[in-house]
Amino acid sequence: MAASTRLAGPRTRLQKASLGTGIVFVLFGILGFIPGVTSNYGSLGFAGPGSGALLLSVFQVSILLNAVHLLFGIAGVLMARTHPQARNFLIYGGVTYLLLWLYGFLAGDTTPANFLPANNADDWLHLALGLAMIALAIVLAARGPAVPAGVAGSDSSNSGDNSNRSGSLSDDVTEPAPTPHLKEHYENP
């Protein structure tokens, strides 16, 4: 049986953000195949600007683009298992969406180079998604993963040599607890 790569304990906020983002992409990948939610469903093409289907009557979609959304969402859900993978999903996924935004403006709405079909609304959505994903990764990764109970440095008793130094400016400041993947470094310098 394969070993789990998920850290013990509750998910971090970053992992929850990756999971939520992945679920949203899976949802929109599925919705792109549902008539009614996708207008002009009869003109849903495999790829290219000829696909006239519009998700939520706004965003141009195709079979290829819906499949990409599904796969991207599944990657987000799977990568939410660990803090570093969740961070990578949000950062690299955000960069990918910023590149798609740039590609959409360079390719144009009706040219054959627009093989993923993207209209003006898609382009602006790609910009917003890219910036939001990168911002989530930066803000939530800065907090770091929670330290499980029982890991060195996680208790607040601070019974080490540097506790309660009188006369110091940092009497009330405690050293931050090390993250689980750096635990060995702090215990065995």
Side-chain angles (χ1 to χ4, degrees):
M1 184 192 303
S4 172
T5 58
R6 187 172 183 281
L7 296 175
R11 292 185 190 273
T12 65
R13 290 182 180 182
L14 184 71
Q15 288 173 287
K16 290 176 184 176
S18 175
L19 180 64
T21 302
I23 289 170
V24 168
F25 276 103
V26 167
L27 178 66
F28 279 98
I30 292 169
L31 290 175
F33 289 114
I34 298 176
V37 178
T38 301
S39 60
N40 303 326
Y41 187 79
S43 64
L44 180 68
F46 178 75
S51 181
L54 298 173
L55 179 61
L56 304 174
S57 299
V58 177
F59 305 106
Q60 189 176 12
V61 293
S62 68
I63 294 170
L64 177 63
L65 190 57
N66 290 337
V68 168
H69 286 150
L70 282 169
L71 293 173
F72 190 74
I74 291 168
V77 169
L78 293 175
M79 293 179 79
R81 294 182 67 178
T82 67
H83 189 85
Q85 288 177 345
R87 181 193 63 235
N88 287 341
F89 170 73
L90 291 171
I91 288 175
Y92 295 121
V95 168
T96 300
Y97 271 91
L98 289 178
L99 291 173
L100 281 173
W101 168 68
L102 184 62
Y103 166 79
F105 281 113
L106 295 176
D109 290 351
T110 59
T111 65
N114 187 10
F115 68 95
L116 279 177
N119 59 16
N120 196 30
D122 288 307
D123 294 336
W124 290 109
L125 179 63
H126 292 157
L127 174 64
L129 284 171
L131 293 175
M133 289 174 74
I134 292 170
L136 278 171
I138 291 170
V139 169
L140 297 177
R143 300 191 61 161
V147 178
V151 174
S154 66
D155 64 354
S156 59
S157 64
N158 214 9
S159 60
D161 294 332
N162 60 357
S163 66
N164 219 359
R165 289 179 283 177
S166 58
S168 172
L169 293 175
S170 61
D171 283 348
D172 296 329
V173 178
T174 60
E175 184 174 329
T179 57
H181 63 279
L182 296 177
K183 177 184 168 191
E184 296 79 19
H185 173 72
Y186 285 103
E187 290 178 349
N188 303 318

